């Protein structure tokens, strides 16, 4: 591991807006009241990487609480540091494996979930690792409140098609589907947030897919 990564791992451990592994378990069911010290809605970004989308959502919606989730602490470091330096107090980061989500969030605790540009895991043998595979969808269904929304933003046409198929197979409610977000009517301030990687995809003339759905 490089010196920069080691330095970031050490520094992120001191950040007040980052919770790592087992330290997050006591917040299950009380993230709003005990971590954010308010009663505002809780929104998650899964596989948040550097946390760019999480922090930008928090800037747009100060009346909501945002938690970026990723396992790589050296990535989380960037978003967490930016939020602390700017005084964006309605954002936090949780370093866990997404597979363990139910250990950290209570039934119906979350208002909305974002998945932005995840690893599409294109190999058939890795389907279970796709963040919109049935085993993950079942976890999201439990932590989301009634009527809570799921959002998938991806440059990968295959993942978009796969997710749309699962939505149909499982009788979920599809609210928005587009294979070319920035040439659609849906590209508002929220969906126009662009991460570093999304800007690279757009420079390569890749289309951006977006799905919004719910479990009821």
């Amino acid at each position: 591991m490089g010196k920069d990564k080691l330095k970031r791992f050490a520094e992120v451990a001191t950040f007040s807006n980052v919770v790592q592994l087992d330290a997050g378990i006591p917040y299950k069911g009380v993230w709003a009241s005990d971590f954010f010290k308010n009663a505002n809605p809780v929104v998650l970004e899964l596989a948040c990487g550097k946390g760019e989308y999480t922090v930008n959502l928090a800037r747009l919606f100060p009346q909501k609480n945002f938690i970026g989730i990723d396992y790589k602490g050296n990535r989380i470091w960037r978003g967490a540091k930016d939020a602390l330096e700017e005084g964006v107090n309605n954002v936090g980061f949780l370093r866990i494996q997404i597979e363990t989500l139910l250990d950290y969030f209570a039934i119906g605790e979350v208002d909305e979930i974002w998945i932005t540009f995840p690893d599409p895991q294109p190999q058939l043998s890795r389907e279970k690792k796709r963040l919109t595979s049935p085993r993950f969808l079942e976890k999201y269904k439990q932590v989301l409140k009634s009527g809570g929304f799921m959002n998938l933003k991806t440059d990968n046409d295959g993942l978009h098609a796969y997710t749309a198929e699962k939505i149909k197979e499982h009788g979920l409610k599809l609210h928005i589907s587009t294979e070319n977000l920035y040439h659609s009517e849906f590209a508002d301030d929220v969906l126009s947030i662009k991460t570093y990687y999304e800007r690279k995809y757009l420079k390569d003339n890749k289309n951006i897919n977006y799905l919004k759905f719910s479990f009821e």
Side-chain angles (χ1 to χ4, degrees):
M1 185 180 294
K3 290 183 179 180
D4 286 345
K5 284 188 177 181
L6 288 172
K7 181 179 179 181
R8 289 174 183 176
F9 268 117
E11 190 174 3
V12 82
T14 69
F15 289 170
S16 60
N17 60 355
V18 176
V19 180
Q20 303 198 58
L21 303 173
D22 288 353
I25 292 176
Y27 288 110
K28 181 176 181 176
V30 292
W31 281 98
S33 61
D34 290 15
F35 183 78
F36 291 103
K37 309 299 183 184
N38 59 45
N40 295 336
V42 173
V43 180
L44 307 183
E45 185 195 359
L46 306 179
C48 69
K50 296 180 180 180
E52 296 160 281
Y53 222 92
T54 305
V55 174
N56 275 292
L57 286 171
R59 291 183 183 120
L60 285 174
F61 300 101
Q63 74 280 18
K64 295 182 181 181
N65 301 314
F66 294 88
I67 302 174
I69 296 177
D70 205 293
Y71 190 67
K72 296 187 176 181
N74 62 301
R75 290 183 182 176
I76 287 175
W77 172 86
R78 179 70 272 165
K81 187 175 181 68
D82 286 346
L84 287 173
E85 290 178 348
E86 295 177 31
V88 184
N89 297 320
N90 61 321
V91 61
F93 291 89
L94 176 61
R95 190 175 79 83
I96 61 168
Q97 296 279 10
I98 296 170
E99 289 89 339
T100 64
L101 195 68
L102 296 179
D103 294 333
Y104 294 86
F105 294 92
I107 303 299
E109 184 173 11
V110 175
D111 283 66
E112 190 168 12
I113 292 176
W114 285 83
I115 306 173
T116 58
F117 303 97
D119 186 337
Q121 306 286 358
Q123 304 93 332
L124 185 59
S125 62
R126 298 179 68 83
E127 179 187 355
K128 289 184 178 180
K129 292 185 176 295
R130 296 173 192 165
L131 291 184
T132 54
S133 68
R135 76 183 185 112
F136 280 106
L137 291 176
E138 182 56 35
K139 297 176 191 294
Y140 309 152
K141 181 179 180 180
Q142 292 185 59
V143 301
L144 273 176
K145 74 173 187 180
S146 177
F149 292 117
M150 292 289 311
N151 303 273
L152 171 69
K153 195 176 179 187
T154 177
D155 67 302
N156 188 274
D157 296 341
L159 183 62
H160 175 269
Y162 170 83
T163 306
E165 179 183 308
K166 296 306 167 188
I167 290 169
K168 185 176 181 179
E169 281 182 9
H170 293 270
L172 309 185
K173 187 173 182 179
L174 180 63
H175 298 272
I176 297 175
S177 176
T178 176
E179 297 176 0
N180 202 334
L181 175 62
Y182 297 112
H183 289 84
S184 76
E185 62 188 287
F186 307 113
D188 58 12
D189 289 347
V190 175
L191 292 177
S192 294
I193 294 171
K194 297 179 182 66
T195 65
Y196 168 78
Y197 286 107
E198 182 177 355
R199 293 181 191 280
K200 287 186 66 176
Y201 301 147
L202 291 170
K203 284 184 179 179
D204 292 335
N205 293 316
K206 284 192 173 184
N207 58 295
I208 304 300
N209 301 274
Y210 173 66
L211 285 167
K212 182 176 186 176
F213 61 99
S214 61
F215 293 94
E216 55 184 48

